[in-house]
Amino acid sequence: MNKLRKFSLKYLFAGTLTAGFLLFLTWKAGAGYVRVNNFYSPLTSSDTLPVKRDTAQPSAKLIRDTIPVTTVDSLKKTPKDSLALKSDSLTRRDSVVTDTFSLKLSKDSLDAPVFYEAEDSAVVLIKDQKIVMYGKTKTDYKEITLTAPKVEMDQVTQIVTAIGSKDSAGEIIERADFKDGEQEFQSDSIKFNFKTQKGLTKNTFTQQGELFVNGQDIKKYNENTIFIKKGTFTTCNLDEPHFGFKANKMKVVNKKLAVSGPAHPEFEGVPIPIYIPFGFFPLTQGRHSGLLPPTFTTNDQFGIGLTNMGYYKVINDYWDVKLYGDIYSYGGWNFNINPTYRKRYKYSGSFTFTIQNTKYNFKGDPDFSVSRNYHIGWNHSVDSKAKPGTTFSANVNAGSTKYNRNVLNSAALNFQNSTSSSIAYSKTWQGKPYNLTASLNHSQNNSQHIINLSLPTIGFTVNTLYPFQPKEMVGTPKWYEKLGIGYTNNFRNQISFYDTVNSKRVYGKSTFEHLLDTLQWGGLHTIPISLSLPSIMGGSVVVSPSISFSQILISGKEHRQWNATTKRVDTTFTKGFFTDQTMSFGLNLSSALFGTYQFRKSKVVALRHVIRPTIGVSYKPDLSKAHWYNLTIDSTGRKISVPEFRRSMFGYYSAGRFGGLNFGFDNNLEMKVRTKDTTGENKTKKIRLIDGFGFSGSYNFFGDSISKLSPIVLYFRSTLFDKINITANSSLDPYQKDITGNRIGKYAWQGGKFSLGTINSVTVTMSTSFQSKPKDAKKDAERKQQMQQLTDPTLVADQQALLDYMRQNPAEFVDFNVPWTVNFGFSLNYSRVQRANYTYTSNITTNMNFGGSFTLTPKWNFSGNGYYDFRTMKMQTLTMSISRDLHCWQMAITVSPVGLYRTFSISINPKASVLQDLRINRNRSFSTAAY
């Protein structure tokens, strides 16, 4: 038997049946045969249209009989009808040549052609006006595509029927597939009317957004709406889903919503006797209003509570708002209002306002207390292309200093002692050398309960101008043409207050009067003058002279005096308008020295060492002498020199002249190694061993015995193997100290005992992270792309909300694609701090943070992170999480067993966002901190 060949018949229904009737009327009764797959059978009046295959040609091309010629036919001399179907034996592709005479179509004809094909055979039933196709059929009409093992098309009713195939046991082995635009159905059988665009299906599977729907009977009502009888909907994509919701009646509107009657859940085929009166599932992409379901939680200090319950409202295309809150059995509650706004290509942002009414323990308990705190947040960003030359941004994070410690299940916020805010505006004039900045700033220290507000800070800058430079440069510029001058001006107001202090009771003044007392203001003018001279010594040494003048505007000065009666230093503060200024002249020389050591017969090709020495001379006259005085600090009469502008907004200038040397040495070390590349394109690669290390200092020829040599600053930075980041800084005081820790007029290396000096401060930080290769590189690339979207400045509000949720629920964001990750950080800080009695003490803090995750099995993941304090030798925080991938569900268990704030939570919920509120959770938290 010859191999089955795929053939395609494409034509209009009306035209096809018209030609078929003409052939039928002129056909000789009983004289024709039809052959399908080399099988012949005689034709009768009810049989199919005769079709012959030419067996003489190896291509087995399809030949259709033409219309017989009659004596009255105008086509008498035409040897072959133009409607005949031709097939090229070389290409083995069928083609249709359409006749040029016009056909009048009936009113019930379709408005577009129907294209169909079958791999096995197609049978045209003339009497019944039907076409039946067998074997992987495909029918196309406009945007509709139907594929099935068997398809029957009825010309009279314009109904197409598709039937799946079954095995000997009656089980479906191949279903009919129906696609209409973005809708797709897979069914045991399908009936669809091309004219009315309505259809009926049996045992149908379809997907609507994230929902997978199975219906015993489904009616396609119109282009977007379907009705379902005895349906099951789930977010599990398996043929036998892990869970689902059973409902007798459902209605689905594509990409809008799905509504069901009474429904009950079913897990692993086992029905759960819990019924809901109706189901409502939004399928729209984007925003839509609705209730926010609460989360059940318990806390030893707050009691039993419901959190995050509220309502989300879409106001219009640009605004939406979320109102939500928490309530606890001991009487505490939180209320939050969170509006967001966004206008594409213009701006976006969000507000957050929270009232926190906290009641610790129940009334009658010895530890019962009540507090009310507030928090306000605002994030705003503007598209850089919206208004070139002008920028406006806001990042506000302000509130009561006790607010963070009362936030549950957030160790990061509980230990955050410092917060800051900024609202900034800047203007740059195109083609002009100056720009303006204005900002409102806020900072607060939650442990000391102090809040600082800068209202406002204004800056005006004139970029460097070259007054002697001609408008059109010709030839080599003269040295004086490189003389540049600039200007910078800053002005600031600031008020400070304690938010836990009652001003009326403590200071005897109203809050407003107290704020005026703390008001400070100040300004700073700076005029730098620079000159770029030609390099000397063949261009290896760069010469840079400079002149600078600065002036500070100050709102008050303080005077300190020893009180012999109380044996302490008393301070008085005088408000007014004061100025302090300084001026300096300098000449700096800089160069670079290169050294290379070559290796032979080694994987290391060479080592390269670069030294960048700088040396300069400078002079600063003593313009601030009048603003320094000697202060007696103890009963022995010991005196020190102190400034009267210690509280200046922009600092103060040092006393005395400076005339001396400034010096510094910077180094870096690189290595070149051979690679395993055999192509020859990348035989070697560079590795930076040390990014920079060196020292700097100065020597003042006009200084006294304890101030000639400045402290020596040492630094080191490196990124070993592109993995380990190391940064170290230190400051050495080169003078010897007395018993109180103050300088004496001897260098540290004098007196027969060698020493480089006293360490004033040391900072060392190290960090690194490692991870295994991802199992699926494509998935890893998609995840990184999603994380990059978090840096979009137009989505600041959404980013912060997502990051906060990820921080509080890390176990729900486990990446099972990466088998393991490890991160580590170490920090050491040492400093000498002056006490109130002008003696010194040493402070040292050393801590380590760590984290990581391990995929124990393809479905189980363990992760953890912690913070260890070496000074107290205690684990300050530790959080451990276990995550289980349940295919369409996920489970997360998080435990924080140590620290001031301890929590436990377990959560089981579907992965799909449409069912994100369907979760089983249990949260418990308590604190050992004193409130």
Side-chain angles (χ1 to χ4, degrees):
M1 182 178 292
N2 294 333
K3 185 179 179 180
L4 294 178
R5 302 188 181 278
K6 187 177 182 181
F7 66 95
S8 176
L9 307 175
K10 302 179 180 181
Y11 48 88
L12 287 170
F13 271 116
T16 302
L17 294 179
T18 301
F21 278 115
L22 291 174
L23 292 172
F24 178 78
L25 293 175
T26 56
W27 200 261
K28 295 181 179 180
Y33 288 84
V34 64
R35 186 191 72 170
V36 178
N37 299 337
N38 291 336
F39 179 80
Y40 291 86
S41 62
L43 289 174
T44 65
S45 60
S46 61
D47 279 331
T48 61
L49 175 69
V51 178
K52 297 181 181 181
R53 286 187 183 271
D54 188 356
T55 57
Q57 299 295 334
S59 61
K61 62 183 180 180
L62 180 65
I63 301 176
R64 177 178 294 165
D65 289 40
T66 60
I67 300 175
V69 180
T70 62
T71 56
V72 296
D73 194 350
S74 60
L75 301 177
K76 181 177 180 180
K77 295 183 179 180
T78 303
K80 196 169 187 178
D81 190 271
S82 59
L83 290 175
L85 181 64
K86 299 180 180 180
S87 177
D88 191 336
S89 62
L90 295 178
T91 62
R92 300 190 182 186
R93 296 180 60 183
D94 299 333
S95 62
V96 177
V97 180
T98 305
D99 199 338
T100 58
F101 67 81
S102 60
L103 295 173
K104 185 176 181 181
L105 303 179
S106 61
K107 294 182 179 181
D108 61 348
S109 298
L110 300 176
D111 58 353
V114 177
F115 301 97
Y116 59 91
E117 62 185 31
E119 185 176 279
D120 184 88
S121 59
V123 179
V124 179
L125 302 175
I126 303 299
K127 183 177 180 180
D128 298 331
Q129 300 185 41
K130 295 181 180 180
I131 298 178
V132 184
M133 296 183 294
Y134 300 91
K136 293 185 179 181
T137 68
K138 181 179 180 181
T139 306
D140 292 321
Y141 172 69
K142 291 184 178 179
E143 295 183 354
I144 298 174
T145 300
L146 177 64
T147 59
K150 177 183 177 182
V151 171
E152 178 181 303
M153 293 186 293
D154 193 320
Q155 168 64 14
V156 178
T157 62
Q158 296 182 352
I159 294 177
V160 59
T161 302
I163 303 173
S165 59
K166 299 181 180 181
D167 58 14
S168 58
E171 298 292 332
I172 291 290
I173 58 176
E174 184 178 357
R175 290 187 171 90
D177 187 89
F178 179 90
K179 292 182 181 179
D180 184 2
E182 297 182 357
Q183 287 187 317
E184 182 174 3
F185 305 89
Q186 292 183 346
S187 311
D188 291 356
S189 65
I190 298 175
K191 283 189 175 183
F192 183 74
N193 191 312
F194 281 122
K195 194 69 176 178
T196 63
Q197 297 290 293
K198 297 181 179 180
L200 293 173
T201 65
K202 295 286 187 180
N203 192 23
T204 302
F205 297 86
T206 183
Q207 182 177 0
Q208 300 290 332
E210 293 180 303
L211 283 179
F212 295 92
V213 182
N214 171 235
Q216 178 176 325
D217 297 293
I218 291 183
K219 177 181 180 180
K220 188 178 186 298
Y221 182 73
N222 56 31
E223 184 179 3
N224 296 314
T225 306
I226 61 174
F227 292 91
I228 302 173
K229 179 181 179 181
K230 294 185 179 180
T232 302
F233 51 97
T234 180
T235 58
C236 183
N237 60 358
L238 298 180
D239 290 340
E240 296 183 2
H242 292 113
F243 80 103
F245 291 88
K246 294 282 189 178
N248 287 331
K249 295 181 180 180
M250 288 185 65
K251 178 181 178 180
V252 179
V253 181
N254 189 34
K255 289 190 174 182
K256 288 188 177 181
L257 57 88
V259 181
S260 74
H264 68 276
E266 185 178 272
F267 291 90
E268 297 290 351
V270 179
I272 306 298
I274 301 176
Y275 281 82
I276 56 176
F278 63 91
F280 184 87
F281 305 91
L283 302 177
T284 54
Q285 301 295 322
R287 308 174 303 161
H288 53 274
S289 302
L291 295 173
L292 301 175
T295 300
F296 179 80
T297 186
T298 60
N299 181 272
D300 287 355
Q301 283 75 33
F302 299 166
I304 301 173
L306 295 175
T307 62
N308 297 323
M309 59 180 178
Y311 186 78
Y312 173 77
K313 174 64 177 177
V314 178
I315 300 174
N316 53 37
D317 292 339
Y318 308 106
W319 283 85
D320 57 30
V321 63
K322 183 167 67 170
L323 304 170
Y324 62 101
D326 312 332
I327 187 170
Y328 299 94
S329 59
Y330 290 167
W333 51 267
N334 298 334
F335 174 76
N336 303 268
I337 178 170
N338 177 211
T340 62
Y341 56 90
R342 182 182 298 117
K343 191 170 184 180
R344 183 173 294 183
Y345 309 122
K346 294 291 185 179
Y347 53 80
S348 66
S350 70
F351 292 96
T352 302
F353 179 71
T354 303
I355 302 176
Q356 188 184 71
N357 187 75
T358 307
K359 292 186 177 181
Y360 302 102
N361 301 308
F362 51 88
K363 288 185 178 181
D365 190 278
D367 296 326
F368 175 77
S369 64
V370 179
S371 67
R372 178 167 294 184
N373 301 294
Y374 306 88
H375 180 268
I376 183 171
W378 180 29
N379 290 292
H380 180 87
S381 62
V382 178
D383 194 308
S384 59
K385 298 179 182 179
K387 197 173 183 180
T390 301
T391 63
F392 178 79
S393 63
N395 186 5
V396 177
N397 181 19
S400 305
T401 55
K402 290 184 178 181
Y403 174 83
N404 283 354
R405 68 172 62 182
N406 296 329
V407 178
L408 295 180
N409 302 326
S410 180
L413 283 179
N414 297 148
F415 286 96
Q416 188 180 54
N417 284 326
S418 299
T419 59
S420 60
S421 306
S422 176
I423 302 174
Y425 169 84
S426 67
K427 171 68 176 178
T428 301
W429 285 267
Q430 188 174 5
K432 304 295 182 180
Y434 42 82
N435 58 76
L436 173 70
T437 61
S439 63
L440 307 177
N441 300 291
H442 147 269
S443 65
Q444 67 183 58
N445 188 303
N446 295 334
S447 60
Q448 298 179 0
H449 306 292
I450 188 170
I451 298 176
N452 302 307
L453 299 176
S454 297
L455 307 168
T457 298
I458 300 175
F460 181 77
T461 303
V462 178
N463 298 329
T464 303
L465 301 175
Y466 299 91
F468 302 109
Q469 188 177 86
K471 293 183 178 180
E472 296 182 2
M473 296 290 294
V474 178
T476 304
K478 303 295 190 296
W479 67 270
Y480 58 83
E481 294 177 353
K482 296 183 180 180
L483 180 68
I485 183 171
Y487 174 75
T488 301
N489 179 23
N490 290 282
F491 181 83
R492 183 187 306 163
N493 283 311
Q494 181 174 299
I495 57 176
S496 303
F497 60 94
Y498 292 92
D499 72 335
T500 56
V501 173
N502 188 315
S503 301
K504 193 70 175 178
R505 184 174 57 193
V506 176
Y507 303 108
K509 298 179 181 180
S510 66
T511 302
F512 180 74
E513 291 175 333
H514 176 61
L515 291 178
L516 288 180
D517 288 342
T518 65
L519 174 65
Q520 297 184 72
W521 56 266
L524 173 63
H525 302 276
T526 303
I527 303 176
I529 301 175
S530 61
L531 178 63
S532 297
L533 295 179
S535 302
I536 61 176
M537 299 178 63
S540 59
V541 179
V542 179
V543 182
S544 303
S546 62
I547 301 175
S548 177
F549 173 80
S550 297
Q551 184 184 56
I552 301 175
L553 307 180
I554 307 167
S555 63
K557 64 179 180 180
E558 71 172 14
H559 185 77
R560 290 174 284 175
Q561 187 176 4
W562 174 255
N563 188 326
T565 303
T566 60
K567 297 186 180 301
R568 66 179 187 180
V569 176
D570 294 335
T571 303
T572 59
F573 189 79
T574 304
K575 288 191 174 184
F577 179 79
F578 307 93
T579 62
D580 191 12
Q581 51 273 327
T582 187
M583 191 171 185
S584 64
F585 307 86
L587 179 67
N588 292 324
L589 305 176
S590 61
S591 183
L593 305 176
F594 301 87
T596 304
Y597 183 81
Q598 303 284 343
F599 291 87
R600 295 183 178 180
K601 298 181 180 180
S602 173
K603 186 177 180 180
V604 179
V605 178
L607 286 175
R608 185 188 186 191
H609 182 200
V610 182
I611 304 174
R612 295 182 176 86
T614 60
I615 188 170
V617 293
S618 62
Y619 174 75
K620 180 186 77 69
D622 187 6
L623 302 181
S624 301
K625 181 178 180 180
H627 305 306
W628 287 73
Y629 60 96
N630 291 325
L631 171 65
T632 302
I633 59 175
D634 56 29
S635 57
T636 63
R638 185 163 57 92
K639 295 182 178 182
I640 61 173
S641 181
V642 294
E644 63 180 4
F645 295 143
R646 188 167 63 100
R647 299 188 185 184
S648 169
M649 298 288 298
F650 293 93
Y652 53 87
Y653 298 124
S654 60
R657 293 182 301 167
F658 180 89
L661 296 175
N662 304 295
F663 54 87
F665 283 88
D666 181 55
N667 303 260
N668 66 49
L669 188 63
E670 296 179 342
M671 178 174 64
K672 184 182 290 187
V673 298
R674 293 182 174 88
T675 64
K676 297 181 180 180
D677 184 13
T678 58
T679 62
E681 296 180 358
N682 299 305
K683 291 183 177 181
T684 60
K685 69 174 182 179
K686 291 182 180 180
I687 299 176
R688 297 181 68 91
L689 299 177
I690 301 176
D691 296 329
F693 68 97
F695 63 92
S696 63
S698 63
Y699 187 87
N700 184 11
F701 294 102
F702 298 124
D704 56 23
S705 60
I706 60 173
S707 61
K708 287 184 178 293
L709 185 61
S710 71
I712 306 300
V713 177
L714 307 173
Y715 61 89
F716 175 89
R717 61 184 184 275
S718 176
T719 305
L720 295 177
F721 314 110
D722 295 329
K723 286 293 184 181
I724 304 175
N725 299 311
I726 304 175
T727 302
N729 296 279
S730 179
S731 175
L732 291 176
D733 191 335
Y735 291 92
Q736 295 181 18
K737 303 291 189 300
D738 60 15
I739 192 172
T740 62
N742 291 282
R743 285 182 177 183
I744 61 176
K746 290 184 179 180
Y747 290 115
W749 49 85
Q750 292 179 337
K753 185 177 180 180
F754 178 79
S755 174
L756 293 177
T758 304
I759 299 176
N760 285 335
S761 63
V762 175
T763 301
V764 179
T765 59
M766 292 188 296
S767 63
T768 185
S769 62
F770 301 92
Q771 73 173 37
S772 62
K773 292 183 178 179
K775 298 177 182 178
D776 190 330
K778 184 177 179 181
K779 288 183 179 180
D780 187 64
E782 293 176 353
R783 184 186 65 85
K784 290 180 178 179
Q785 184 177 4
Q786 293 175 354
M787 295 302 295
Q788 288 177 355
Q789 293 176 356
L790 292 178
T791 61
D792 187 350
T794 63
L795 301 175
V796 174
D798 297 336
Q799 297 162 14
Q800 190 60 45
L802 178 59
L803 290 175
D804 289 343
Y805 185 82
M806 293 174 65
R807 192 180 294 114
Q808 297 179 23
N809 304 274
E812 296 184 19
F813 297 88
V814 173
D815 186 6
F816 284 91
N817 192 41
V818 179
W820 58 267
T821 62
V822 176
N823 59 78
F824 167 84
F826 174 82
S827 175
L828 183 148
N829 291 277
Y830 168 82
S831 61
R832 293 179 69 247
V833 182
Q834 191 179 51
R835 297 190 182 100
N837 61 358
Y838 299 96
T839 60
Y840 288 85
T841 184
S842 298
N843 287 338
I844 183 170
T845 59
T846 309
N847 55 73
M848 177 181 67
N849 61 80
F850 56 89
S853 66
F854 302 89
T855 302
L856 305 177
T857 69
K859 300 294 183 181
W860 282 97
N861 180 277
F862 173 82
S863 62
N865 60 80
Y867 177 89
Y868 185 83
D869 190 345
F870 289 95
R871 185 175 62 87
T872 59
M873 302 299 290
K874 290 183 179 180
M875 184 76 70
Q876 298 296 328
T877 63
L878 177 64
T879 301
M880 298 178 291
S881 302
I882 297 178
S883 303
R884 176 68 163 94
D885 185 355
L886 301 172
H887 185 256
C888 50
W889 285 63
Q890 60 186 4
M891 180 186 70
I893 302 175
T894 303
V895 181
S896 296
V898 299
L900 296 178
Y901 303 92
R902 306 181 184 185
T903 62
F904 168 81
S905 67
I906 179 172
S907 175
I908 304 176
N909 61 283
K911 292 181 179 179
S913 60
V914 70
L915 296 178
Q916 62 180 347
D917 298 325
L918 178 64
R919 62 171 60 213
I920 304 171
N921 66 291
R922 170 70 168 170
N923 296 328
R924 291 203 65 182
S925 62
F926 60 95
S927 172
T928 58
Y931 292 94

